[in-house]
Amino acid sequence: MPELPEVEVTRLSFADRIAGARIESATIGKPLRWPLGLAPAALQGRQVLQVRRRGKYLLLDLDHGLLLIHLGMSGSLAFADQLPAAGPHDHFELVTSQGRLRLHDPRRFGAVVWAESEADPVARKLLGHLGVEPLGPGFEPLAFWQALQARRSAIKQVLLAGDIVVGVGNIYASEALFAAGIAPTLSASGLSQVRAERLHGAIRSVLARALEQGGSTLKDFSSAEGKSGYFQLEAMVYDRAGLPCRACGATIQTLRQGQRSTFFCPDCQTS
Ligand SMILES: [Zn+2]
């Protein structure tokens, strides 16, 4: 599943090249998670001003309205002058004066949604509940700790919920909790200020490292084939159940939290 770093690298892969482009046509394939919200033909003639990111949404600002794109479970975007003929899993395409933007999404949990503005109820429904950006200036250690104080749920679940800090998905939540030495089952309100600050730093560094690695895959992203290019993080715990901890040698454990697998080291993450 594309997580925040993959979405940001996707953005970087085409934002500069599509800025200023005129939309010549838009095509929709099979239904995605949510409807586009207007007839594709209505996008014709619109200009793409810029591409921003909010959480795991890409926001294509048009000269009138915006398109919100989510990659869902299996989506990827390709942007190129020419693309191979659309296949059965290509469900959205914008032909622009500067290239073709195509969404490939075999499982169709992704979406492309048009909104008049970010104040539009449709946009607010998708973006309104999102917490602060983990790599932005709004993510502050003290405010993070204070927000955690109000939550009794397990810290891992609180991170995944995304309403305090957005975009810390399953892989990066597991990795950040390991880096901070915090058990994933600990109640969020049980974190001391010092440990919350350590977790804050760990979230930033884990995401920044993934972004850095992703930067080196930019070439793949901008290829016409639109390689999925999900990063192979040097994981300390994620997907390593039964293997020895890279830090202490203890056996990495796994458990289910809210339908998701959590991975942790019982010795490095003691409380
Ligand atoms: Zn360990």
Side-chain angles (χ1 to χ4, degrees):
M1 183 187 326
E3 297 215 32
L4 186 144
E6 288 86 354
V7 177
E8 177 62 9
V9 168
T10 298
R11 187 185 75 81
L12 292 169
S13 75
F14 76 101
D16 287 350
R17 293 184 293 140
I18 203 171
R22 287 260 165 223
I23 296 173
E24 293 166 357
S25 68
T27 323
I28 299 187
K30 292 202 187 103
L32 293 163
R33 184 164 180 188
W34 299 300
L36 179 61
L38 88 175
L43 293 171
Q44 196 179 332
R46 298 267 71 90
Q47 187 177 21
V48 180
L49 302 180
Q50 61 178 350
V51 185
R52 294 178 291 138
R53 181 188 55 75
R54 183 73 180 96
K56 297 204 311 190
Y57 288 91
L58 291 173
L59 278 54
L60 266 68
D61 285 312
L62 309 180
D63 56 351
H64 175 64
L66 70 158
L67 287 172
L68 294 92
I69 302 179
H70 198 285
L71 301 178
M73 304 286 286
S74 59
S76 60
L77 283 174
F79 183 72
D81 289 342
Q82 291 299 326
L83 291 171
H89 301 304
D90 295 326
H91 303 300
F92 181 78
E93 185 158 326
L94 277 185
V95 178
T96 80
S97 55
Q98 291 167 203
R100 287 165 180 259
L101 181 69
R102 178 183 288 174
L103 175 66
H104 176 84
D105 187 1
R107 297 184 63 182
R108 291 194 282 131
F109 283 102
V112 182
V113 175
W114 187 83
E116 181 106 26
S117 75
E118 277 182 76
D120 191 317
V122 176
R124 279 170 48 188
K125 191 173 160 216
L126 300 180
L127 306 175
H129 63 286
L130 301 182
V132 296
E133 288 289 332
L135 296 170
F139 186 40
E140 292 177 331
L142 180 60
F144 179 52
W145 174 64
Q146 286 168 340
L148 294 180
Q149 288 300 290
R151 303 296 177 89
R152 296 260 172 86
S153 315
I155 181 63
K156 163 100 182 313
Q157 311 268 87
V158 171
L159 292 178
L160 286 193
D163 57 339
I164 292 179
V165 56
V166 73
V168 185
N170 204 31
I171 298 175
Y172 301 110
S174 287
E175 292 295 309
L177 287 167
F178 173 83
I182 295 168
T185 47
L186 182 71
S187 160
S189 61
L191 252 73
S192 66
Q193 186 175 352
V194 171
R195 303 186 80 212
E197 287 180 4
R198 201 182 303 154
L199 179 57
H200 171 274
I203 289 169
R204 283 212 167 173
S205 62
V206 162
L207 288 173
R209 207 161 58 234
L211 259 185
E212 215 168 274
Q213 287 181 359
S216 62
T217 68
L218 265 177
K219 238 162 82 184
D220 285 344
F221 267 90
S222 34
S223 74
E225 291 79 34
K227 295 266 191 324
S228 63
Y230 303 154
F231 315 145
Q232 293 303 308
L233 185 85
E234 263 290 288
M236 295 296 279
V237 289
Y238 185 78
D239 210 16
R240 298 195 69 242
L243 296 172
C245 172
R246 297 190 204 272
C248 76
T251 303
I252 300 296
Q253 312 281 312
T254 184
L255 56 84
R256 301 289 284 177
Q257 287 181 290
Q259 321 297 329
R260 310 296 300 276
S261 296
T262 295
F263 301 88
F264 66 102
C265 171
D267 286 4
C268 292
Q269 297 167 261
T270 48
S271 61

